[in-house]
Amino acid sequence: MQTANSQVNYSSASDIIGALQNILAHSQQMSDFKTPHSRANHIPNTNYPAIELKGECISNIVAERQQQLDTVSLDISGLETVMGNIENLYKQLVEQKNKIIQSMTFYKGLVSSLWRLPTEILSQIFHLCLPEDKYLSPASKQAPMLLTTICRPWREVAVGTPSLWCRLHVEPTGRDWEKAVAFYHSWLRRARRHPLSLAFKCWNSSEQFSLLEPYVKRISSLAVRVYHEPGNYETLLKDLPRLPALQELVLQGSTLSPRMSKSISRLPSTMHSLDVSDMPAFDISRLSWLNRVWVHLTNVKISISHPDALLHLLRLCPNLSSLTARTSFYEAQILEPLTHANIQSLSVVNLSGNIGCLTGLFNALSLPNLRVFELWHRGSNLWSHEVLKAFLARSRCSLESLIFSGQLTVTEVQRAEYIALIPSLNVIVGPRSQHFS
């Protein structure tokens, strides 16, 4: 028998069962603790013999009870140990069960047609598993990182598919930046020679650019948000001309200074897309700071403060095919007519309370190549149906989709009149578009 302070380790379920059987046997042997005296209805008085009671020696009974108490205490200690071992054994069995299920799943999968798919097809399936986000977060529970944890064959295919690793959202990590840099390098190296799309939630000048340094010739898309110091922006923009393959730039969270604009103006002619829609609104003066950039652009997202500034932007961007504009117009203006031959997609979100402020803009504008036009307004006042009809008739465009979102509504009569102008037109009235999210 083990002592009360001993630690018993049972190596198997049979050892635990044996120990429980011993404890149960001890308990059954000591089930009756009654004596002739204990069945009496009164406490013995002092006249009873001090040494003997009905042939039994009290000292012997006490000694026997002490022995029984020691045995029960030992069994309780043993039972506590057994219960702990039962809990450990339960955990081990559950773990073994899970491993057996995983093994069964793996070997069942070997006979599945999925394992016989060519690597090229499996790579295409992995692409369909990627989140729809433009820049991928390196989370372990979503693709592509998740795909590397399923099994060895899947990991080999995922790691060997460079196009899965071309997009990355770099998060601020504080003191763990060095560890994070090693992880980000591992991610980006898997992209091999493919063009890269990178986003930085918070730019911290030299640290982030040290991460970019090995990949500067392959960065085609860069999105940057700076929360506090404009100086960080200027450090970043000073380095932008060193990105010879840059095609798309997204800037958020800070105002644009002349010095920053000068850096943007030195961007390569390969850049065709600029998104500054989350920066303060542009007027004609601020637009002029980027004169060397606009001529190359085909896609622009921007905030505009005045109707004449929007028309000025269109004059600066002769190759523009897609424009998303956040407007904050507070008065209608009479503007010089302007025809832009290349605009195919125009999305306008009106952030002012009066949608009538857009009237002057659309009275002046003609877009003969327009295919998609979307208008979002947060107020309840109605858009001028006649102004839009005149704009479509003047443009003589083959418009495919006319979208009213936000709180704008269209009557059936108005819908019919739009379609009468352009028979193939699809008129859509719905919630806020993803262009303005």
Side-chain angles (χ1 to χ4, degrees):
M1 179 68 66
Q2 302 288 331
T3 63
N5 294 325
S6 66
Q7 295 296 322
V8 183
N9 291 315
Y10 302 103
S11 59
S12 66
S14 59
D15 292 340
I16 294 176
I17 293 173
L20 288 173
Q21 288 174 338
N22 289 336
I23 293 171
L24 181 60
H26 294 156
S27 176
Q28 291 174 342
Q29 291 172 4
M30 295 183 292
S31 59
D32 187 6
F33 300 103
K34 295 181 179 180
T35 64
H37 171 63
S38 65
R39 290 191 287 269
N41 293 326
H42 61 279
I43 299 176
N45 58 44
T46 56
N47 295 326
Y48 278 87
I51 300 177
E52 274 190 21
L53 180 63
K54 295 185 178 180
E56 293 188 62
C57 180
I58 293 177
S59 60
N60 291 340
I61 295 175
V62 171
E64 180 183 0
R65 294 295 181 267
Q66 183 62 53
Q67 184 179 9
Q68 292 170 335
L69 177 61
D70 293 342
T71 301
V72 170
S73 297
L74 184 61
D75 284 344
I76 290 173
S77 177
L79 183 60
E80 290 174 346
T81 302
V82 170
M83 291 171 65
N85 281 272
I86 289 175
E87 183 177 355
N88 291 335
L89 180 60
Y90 174 79
K91 292 179 180 179
Q92 293 173 12
L93 292 174
V94 170
E95 184 176 351
Q96 290 178 9
K97 175 186 174 183
N98 292 335
K99 289 181 178 179
I100 292 171
I101 292 174
Q102 290 176 3
S103 179
M104 288 177 62
T105 302
F106 172 76
Y107 284 104
K108 286 180 179 180
L110 290 179
V111 299
S112 169
S113 59
L114 182 62
W115 293 97
R116 297 191 293 273
L117 288 175
T119 299
E120 294 77 8
I121 295 179
L122 195 56
S123 296
Q124 291 299 317
I125 294 174
F126 285 176
H127 273 285
L128 297 176
C129 297
L130 294 176
E132 295 182 358
D133 303 318
K134 186 170 183 178
Y135 305 98
L136 299 183
S137 174
S140 60
K141 293 186 178 181
Q142 69 180 31
M145 288 300 297
L146 178 63
L147 300 172
T148 66
T149 64
I150 306 301
C151 60
R152 182 177 296 176
W154 279 28
R155 175 179 174 81
E156 291 176 353
V157 173
V159 172
T161 305
S163 51
L164 294 176
W165 308 95
C166 295
R167 298 180 284 155
L168 178 62
H169 191 171
V170 179
E171 299 280 352
T173 56
R175 296 180 180 178
D176 296 329
W177 176 247
E178 291 186 4
K179 182 178 179 180
V181 165
F183 172 80
Y184 292 138
H185 280 312
S186 174
W187 177 296
L188 294 173
R189 279 195 294 267
R190 293 173 181 175
R192 299 180 189 172
R193 297 183 179 276
H194 284 238
L196 299 175
S197 295
L198 304 179
F200 289 85
K201 188 173 183 179
C202 183
W203 186 261
N204 190 17
S205 62
S206 59
E207 283 189 351
Q208 275 82 350
F209 202 82
S210 67
L211 171 62
L212 297 182
E213 193 71 46
Y215 315 102
V216 289
K217 295 183 179 180
R218 290 166 42 209
I219 298 174
S220 63
S221 176
L222 180 64
V224 180
R225 175 180 288 277
V226 174
Y227 288 104
H228 301 297
E229 296 296 332
N232 289 339
Y233 244 142
E234 297 189 5
T235 304
L236 161 68
L237 296 176
K238 182 179 65 176
D239 290 322
L240 282 180
R242 299 173 59 192
L243 306 177
L246 190 65
Q247 298 180 20
E248 178 182 29
L249 178 63
V250 181
L251 298 177
Q252 301 172 321
S254 179
T255 188
L256 192 68
S257 69
R259 182 179 175 185
M260 295 160 64
S261 303
K262 183 177 180 180
S263 295
I264 297 177
S265 296
R266 300 203 315 269
L267 286 170
S269 59
T270 56
M271 199 181 78
H272 62 75
S273 179
L274 177 65
D275 184 349
V276 287
S277 56
D278 282 344
M279 300 184 75
F282 281 71
D283 55 18
I284 290 179
S285 174
R286 296 182 67 219
L287 288 172
S288 65
W289 295 348
L290 302 177
N291 280 349
R292 293 179 57 185
V293 175
W294 302 121
V295 68
H296 304 296
L297 299 180
T298 59
N299 178 34
V300 170
K301 294 183 179 180
I302 192 170
S303 293
I304 292 290
S305 59
H306 303 288
D308 56 349
L310 196 149
L311 292 184
H312 185 66
L313 172 67
L314 293 177
R315 294 186 185 97
L316 294 173
C317 301
N319 297 308
L320 197 62
S321 62
S322 176
L323 173 63
T324 299
R326 298 175 186 265
T327 63
S328 302
F329 306 159
Y330 291 95
E331 60 179 10
Q333 295 179 343
I334 299 176
L335 304 168
E336 292 292 326
L338 173 67
T339 298
H340 195 290
N342 292 318
I343 290 284
Q344 298 183 34
S345 175
L346 175 63
S347 300
V348 178
V349 57
N350 180 48
L351 296 177
S352 67
N354 183 10
I355 197 170
C357 294
L358 296 175
T359 299
L361 173 67
F362 286 99
N363 281 337
L365 197 58
S366 297
L367 303 176
N369 204 29
L370 191 63
R371 297 293 180 268
V372 178
F373 175 54
E374 178 169 9
L375 181 63
W376 182 90
H377 178 61
R378 66 181 176 183
S380 58
N381 53 329
L382 296 178
W383 165 244
S384 176
H385 171 62
E386 297 301 325
V387 169
L388 182 54
K389 279 176 54 182
F391 163 68
L392 295 177
R394 183 173 60 255
S395 295
R396 296 182 180 179
C397 58
S398 300
L399 194 66
E400 298 168 359
S401 297
L402 177 60
I403 306 167
F404 296 92
S405 53
Q407 296 176 313
L408 290 174
T409 59
V410 176
T411 67
E412 289 303 317
V413 172
Q414 291 172 339
R415 183 191 298 266
E417 292 184 7
Y418 292 135
I419 295 175
L421 281 172
I422 307 173
S424 60
L425 182 62
N426 183 22
V427 181
I428 302 170
V429 180
R432 189 178 189 182
S433 164
Q434 62 180 357
H435 291 298
F436 308 130
S437 58

